[in-house]
Amino acid sequence: MTERQQELVEAAEQAYHRRLRKIIEAKPADLVDRLRVAMAEQGLLGLNMPEAYGGQGLPLLDTLLVIQRLQACDSALGALAHRTSTGAVGAIAVLGTEEQKKKYVAGVCEGRIGISIGITEPEAGSAATAMKTRARIDGDSVVIDGKKQFVSFVDHTHYTVVYCRFGTTGKASDIGAVIVPHDTPGFSRSKGTMNMADELLFELYFDNCRVPRENVLIDGNAFGRLISVYNAERLGSISRMLGSAQASFEHAVEYTRTRRQFGQEIADFQGVQWMLADMKVKLEAAQLLTYRAAANAGASGLPVAVETSMAKAYTAIAAKEICDDALQLHGANGYTREYPLAHRYAEVRGGSIYGGTVQIHKNMIAAAILQRKNNQWKRNDS
Ligand SMILES: Cc1cc2nc3c(=O)[nH]c(=O)nc-3n(C[C@H](O)[C@H](O)[C@H](O)COP(=O)(O)OP(=O)(O)OC[C@H]3O[C@@H](n4cnc5c(N)ncnc54)[C@H](O)[C@@H]3O)c2cc1C
């Protein structure tokens, strides 16, 4: 890290110790809202968003370093730093109109609003381009019909950037996106399904959901552009995995130095030392792949797809293994809820699934190696 990056990361950690930790430990019912306001005051939201709209204007790499450190402090902080920087708001910052940026990007940076992203559907998971949710322009409105599922954080957001189909060709070129306010008639959501990491995932329903046309983010022939912005979102969520893995690793180092068995620290056993060494190598390798993808994004802030996929495919597995080994090194303590290891494992476990599964990213890497189009669709040769 440069001196400046070191300062940024240390300032984020100090904000946690000085102020944010107390809010988290008090466990208020409106924890996310309180954190959002407090983090906005500390300059920890909208890290890579343009300063013109209230963001911190950081390069993508610096943004990821701060997200990682905040995630290592507490997952609630990593979640908000990611969602307000590399989350759905990023699509608006890159693709939105001036009015949309003033309203949504500024609102997110000030801690007033939150935005989710709705891509996945019952029949369109990994095969995202099979989505059926339709958007139909009708005068000054756009009318949306369809359903999304597994959408995160909707209980804490006010809008969702909904990927939907503007045309009827059935091709990816039909796909665009609309910013849907959650108080729009015709929009509703499920109560949510709890995931392994104690976060709710929601189904979203659009039934003749009429939104002002000015809420169209991009109206078709845009899937490639949406995904190129989404790659920054992927790196943000990868940084959260790095933060959880880093915290687990640091816990494991500390614990092996204090826990004694057979008359000595368990850190004295070579079998334990080799586990720590493997964890360290995996953490560094995952960081290097992720930081390279971010550094190469340059001024556009849009990372190269294959570099993102390599960071994702490696980190998702490495973080899972690091957290699992850290839990193992804590013995039965690691398996209890008294220690943070089990929750850290649950946090990173989802990383092999969301944002494109590890297998889907390997498909993309292989396509780049073989210089083939990554087309997984069954061919109809008859
Ligand atoms: C914690 C979490 C948060 C999420 N948040 C959001 C969100 O905010 N918004 C949103 O839109 N979605 C979200 N999702 C959904 C996520 O994007 C999807 O779960 C993901 O794209 C996989 O789709 P699926 O679950 O339908 O699995 P499927 O596509 O049914 O895949 C099942 C299995 O088949 C494998 N598979 C499928 N196709 C191939 C292939 N061609 N080659 C090799 N293997 C293949 C997959 O790798 C996987 O192992 C979230 C998911 C999780 C777990």
Side-chain angles (χ1 to χ4, degrees), residues 164-184:
C164 41
R165 218 164 251 296
F166 283 77
T168 52
T169 67
K171 295 183 181 163
S173 55
D174 289 339
I175 295 171
V178 181
I179 306 163
V180 179
H182 293 174
D183 57 2
T184 310

Side-chain angles (χ1 to χ4, degrees), residues 33 36 80 83-84 88-89 104 107-108 111-116 153-154 156-161 180 182:
D33 291 336
R36 214 188 320 244
L80 274 171
R83 291 181 193 287
T84 61
V89 66
Y104 302 105
V108 165
R112 283 188 288 105
I113 60 169
I115 306 177
S116 293
F153 224 56
V154 186
H156 301 298
T157 58
H158 312 84
Y159 301 86
T160 297
V161 170
V180 179
H182 293 174

Side-chain angles (χ1 to χ4, degrees), residues 117-120 125-126 150-152 195 201 353-355 357 359-360 363 376:
I117 186 157
I119 306 173
T120 310
S126 297
F150 301 134
V151 181
S152 314
N195 73 19
L201 296 175
I353 301 167
Y354 59 65
T357 67
Q359 291 73 32
I360 291 300
N363 290 340
Q376 302 291 314

Side-chain angles (χ1 to χ4, degrees), residues 154 160 162 180-189 204-207 209:
V154 186
T160 297
V162 181
V180 179
H182 293 174
D183 57 2
T184 310
F187 171 89
S188 56
R189 66 165 169 90
L204 307 185
Y205 312 105
F206 305 88
D207 180 12
C209 175

Side-chain angles (χ1 to χ4, degrees), residues 77-130:
L77 303 180
L80 274 171
H82 159 52
R83 291 181 193 287
T84 61
S85 305
T86 39
V89 66
I92 301 175
V94 175
L95 303 171
T97 62
E98 187 57 26
E99 286 70 32
Q100 288 172 347
K101 290 179 198 177
K102 279 186 187 145
K103 179 170 179 183
Y104 302 105
V105 179
V108 165
C109 294
E110 288 165 17
R112 283 188 288 105
I113 60 169
I115 306 177
S116 293
I117 186 157
I119 306 173
T120 310
E121 297 184 6
E123 305 304 323
S126 297
T129 54

